[in-house]
């Protein structure tokens, strides 16, 4: 719930300091509290981030944690999903071009600020009255596989709740932004199936297929801002999603869209 569209939102002095659309997030929390969900998977961009300044990151995480504490205290377990604002740093090239790339310092800041939520089995059971199993902090994409070059523990992770399997993946690992750990997810879902999982839910920040509005499509324009920037990898990822009949939830685009990208298959 970070204000990615700051140019479109008039922030007050408090919000400008903490970089959070407080009014929107507060309303969301109130509505979720009324619905009494057992868990919320927060699909990334909790903070503005985009900086290597650890003090700034810690301050923004603290503000977000303070906001969602109300939701946690009223009985909803918040499961964090890393977004590009959390793990990427924005910088300028010598020719003035803006680039965004994941940095190990930002991944470390994520773990330091979100680690207690990723994952507390005792708290999960107390809040949901259901046991979470198959959790292992070391079960993460390994360096040298899936384009991974840094520690991905608590960035990509998974667990079971009964016959339901939940997998969270980081779509902006250092050195391979805009990707998915395809081989890790394939093995993860296969292991879950072997344990008896009947439903698979995969959460990430960046989408596999970028939504293109009808007007743009009619004009012959299409957009690619997620895994589709790497079509071969995207297709391999989606084959895994379909083979294990998983439901894939993402963020990133500021629009609601539900689809089956390969309706003809």
């Amino acid at each position: 719930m970070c204000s990615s569209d700051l140019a479109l939102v008039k922030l007050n002095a408090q919000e400008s300091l903490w970089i959070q659309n407080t009014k929107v997030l507060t309303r969301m929390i109130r509505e979720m509290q009324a619905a009494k969900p057992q868990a919320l998977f927060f699909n990334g961009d909790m903070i503005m981030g985009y900086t290597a300044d650890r003090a700034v990151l810690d301050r923004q995480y603290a503000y977000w944690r303070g906001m969602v504490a109300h939701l946690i205290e009223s009985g909803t377990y918040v499961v964090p999903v890393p977004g590009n604002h959390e793990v990427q740093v924005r910088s300028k090239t010598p020719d003035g071009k803006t680039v965004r790339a994941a940095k190990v310092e930002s991944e470390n800041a994520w773990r330091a600020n979100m680690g207690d939520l990723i994952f507390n089995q005792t708290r999960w059971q107390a809040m949901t009255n259901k046991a979470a199993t198959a959790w292992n902090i070391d079960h993460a994409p390994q360096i040298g596989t899936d384009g991974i070059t840094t520690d991905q523990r608590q960035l990509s992770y998974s667990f079971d709740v009964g016959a339901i399997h939940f997998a969270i993946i980081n779509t902006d690992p250092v050195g391979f932004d805009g990707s998915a750990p395809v081989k890790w997810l394939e093995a993860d879902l296969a292991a879950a199936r072997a344990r008896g999982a009947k439903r698979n839910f995969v959460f990430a920040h960046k989408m596999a297929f970028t939504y293109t509005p009808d007007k743009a499509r009619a004009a012959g324009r299409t957009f690619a801002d997620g895994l589709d920037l790497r079509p071969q990898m995207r297709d391999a990822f989606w084959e895994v999603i379909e083979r294990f009949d998983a439901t894939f939830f993402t963020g990133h685009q500021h629009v609601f869209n539900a689809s089956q990208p390969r309706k003809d298959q």
Side-chain angles (χ1 to χ4, degrees), residues 151-163:
D151 185 358
Q152 292 297 295
R153 287 177 298 176
Q154 297 177 306
L155 286 152
S156 290
Y157 56 99
S158 68
F159 58 94
D160 296 342
V161 179

Side-chain angles (χ1 to χ4, degrees), residues 25 33 50 52 79 132 142 145 147-148 156 164 173 181 189-190 196 199 206-207 229 233 261-262:
L25 184 54
Q33 285 176 311
Y50 275 161
V79 183
Q142 298 299 300
T145 64
I148 301 301
S156 290
I164 301 175
L189 295 180
R199 296 291 304 277
K206 287 185 175 176
M207 54 281 165
L229 289 171
M233 184 276 304
R262 293 176 172 174

Side-chain angles (χ1 to χ4, degrees), residues 196-217:
K198 303 301 182 185
R199 296 291 304 277
N200 293 304
F201 296 98
V202 180
F203 297 85
H205 183 64
K206 287 185 175 176
M207 54 281 165
F209 297 86
T210 304
Y211 169 70
T212 300
D214 291 340
K215 287 186 177 180
R217 193 177 298 278

Side-chain angles (χ1 to χ4, degrees), residues 2-11 21 48 85 252 254:
C2 84
S3 297
S4 299
D5 290 329
L6 289 179
L8 304 179
V9 179
K10 183 174 178 59
L11 302 182
N21 194 333
M48 174 54 72
H85 279 255
H252 201 54
H254 296 194

Side-chain angles (χ1 to χ4, degrees), residues 1 12-23 25-26 29 46-47 56-70 113:
M1 190 58 249
N12 60 34
Q14 177 193 40
E15 292 170 340
S16 295
L17 174 63
W18 298 103
I19 314 298
Q20 188 67 255
N21 194 333
T22 307
K23 182 180 291 187
L25 184 54
T26 300
I29 290 172
M46 297 86 163
I47 63 173
V56 171
L57 290 173
D58 287 347
R59 184 178 69 198
Q60 292 178 7
Y61 278 120
Y63 189 85
W64 180 83
R65 289 290 300 253
M67 292 288 290
V68 300
H70 301 285
N113 284 279

